[in-house]
Amino acid sequence: MKMVIAIVQDHDSQRLSDRLTKNNFRSTKLASTGGFLRAGNTTFLCGLEDDRVDELLKVIDDTCGNREQTVAPVTPMGGNADSYIPYPVEVEVGGATVFVLPIEQFERF
């Protein structure tokens, strides 16, 4: 058994949730916040059999694509302003950060 933890941007959350359901993956959705952009994320927790991990990773990869986004800089507060960029910049957002963990025991009640 494995526990897959997938952190995706909110923009991709509903599409991924629909695709997981369509492909018969059970998941728990948690609201989370990213550190760099301070934007909303969604964290999916999926417990599944070892032989379905690659299938799940493909669904996540196909659903959560990278894209460019213009972001306004966050003003430094009390820190070093040497690296502060005072104008909007293009950054790559999206995709997914995925952790696959071994599970010793898995129960569904």
Side-chain angles (χ1 to χ4, degrees):
M1 295 301 296
K2 298 287 190 224
M3 168 67 74
V4 175
I5 302 170
I7 304 163
V8 304
Q9 194 177 39
D10 277 346
H11 179 83
D12 298 320
S13 174
Q14 188 58 50
R15 282 187 312 137
L16 181 58
S17 182
D18 293 344
R19 296 265 325 263
L20 293 175
T21 301
K22 179 181 174 186
N23 287 281
N24 213 17
F25 290 107
R26 293 179 182 220
S27 66
T28 298
K29 248 170 86 164
L30 305 172
S32 52
T33 303
F36 176 65
L37 297 176
R38 293 176 175 76
N41 291 331
T42 301
T43 300
F44 288 86
L45 305 175
C46 300
L48 65 155
E49 297 78 16
D50 292 353
D51 61 343
R52 295 200 70 203
V53 171
D54 289 338
E55 180 186 354
L56 174 60
L57 294 177
K58 179 154 178 39
V59 169
I60 295 169
D61 185 36
D62 290 346
T63 307
C64 303
N66 291 333
R67 62 197 157 274
E68 295 288 321
Q69 178 177 324
T70 302
V71 296
V74 177
T75 306
M77 306 219 20
N80 185 350
D82 292 341
S83 63
Y84 175 67
I85 302 171
Y87 49 86
V89 294
E90 289 278 325
V91 296
E92 187 175 292
V93 298
T97 301
V98 181
F99 301 91
V100 180
L101 308 169
I103 299 297
E104 188 172 313
Q105 185 173 344
F106 179 78
E107 300 292 335
R108 190 176 292 146
F109 300 106

